[in-house]
């Protein structure tokens, strides 16, 4: 029988925390959770900047990087090509914030999980 629990991919190894007391770990866990961004304000993906040359004869863009920047949200899915969606200029700041929130939330969850993992190893109450 195989349990199909979801596990995020994680490239680093287990976090060593031998010098931290159990009380310190619990305090750190509380502090991390207080720093969680609002979870409705998250977006997984990366914000990409593009410049494009229009190709019109005589356009000044031929000498520079092109018209832009224009922004796209690139979202990857396993086994598929990343999906690119246009981000209007007026949404740029909010999308950038949501993307950063997602990264931060993910880091925090990973750290909290590692603390719980360590507590489990120590046979401490979770
Ligand atoms: Zn042009």
């Amino acid at each position: 029988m195989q349990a199909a629990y979801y596990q995020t991919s994680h490239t680093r190894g287990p976090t060593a925390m031998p010098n931290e007391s159990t009380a310190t770990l619990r305090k750190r866990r509380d502090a991390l959770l207080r720093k969680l961004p609002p979870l409705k304000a998250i977006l997984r993906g990366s914000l990409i900047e593009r410049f494009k040359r229009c190709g019109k004869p005589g356009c000044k863009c031929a000498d520079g990087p092109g018209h832009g920047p224009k922004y796209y949200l690139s979202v990857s899915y396993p086994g598929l090509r990343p999906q690119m969606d246009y981000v209007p200029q007026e949404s740029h700041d909010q999308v950038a914030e949501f993307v950063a929130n997602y990264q931060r939330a993910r880091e925090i969850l990973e750290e909290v999980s590692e603390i719980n993992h360590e507590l489990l190893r120590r046979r401490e109450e979770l």
Side-chain angles (χ1 to χ4, degrees), residues 52-56 59-62 67:
K52 269 188 186 150
R53 294 196 180 90
C54 64
K56 282 178 195 152
C59 184
K60 61 178 165 63
C61 77
H67 297 278

Side-chain angles (χ1 to χ4, degrees), residues 66-81:
H67 297 278
K70 286 189 171 166
Y71 296 101
Y72 295 85
L73 180 73
S74 171
V75 183
S76 60
Y77 298 93
L80 297 172
R81 293 170 61 172

Side-chain angles (χ1 to χ4, degrees), residues 3 13 49 60 70 77 89 92 110-111 119-121:
E49 196 182 78
K60 61 178 165 63
K70 286 189 171 166
Y77 298 93
Q89 182 63 52
H92 169 273
E110 188 57 44
E111 283 186 61
L119 293 174
L120 179 71
R121 279 194 207 108

Side-chain angles (χ1 to χ4, degrees), residues 2 17 20 44 51 81 90 111 121:
Q2 198 172 1
M17 28 188 122
E20 281 182 280
R44 185 177 64 81
F51 292 84
R81 293 170 61 172
E90 63 268 26
E111 283 186 61
R121 279 194 207 108

Side-chain angles (χ1 to χ4, degrees), residues 27-45:
K27 264 184 212 153
R28 192 149 69 81
R29 185 175 60 181
D30 289 342
L32 282 163
L33 290 173
R34 282 194 296 272
K35 285 189 280 180
L36 261 184
L39 292 181
K40 73 172 182 184
I42 58 165
L43 256 179
R44 185 177 64 81

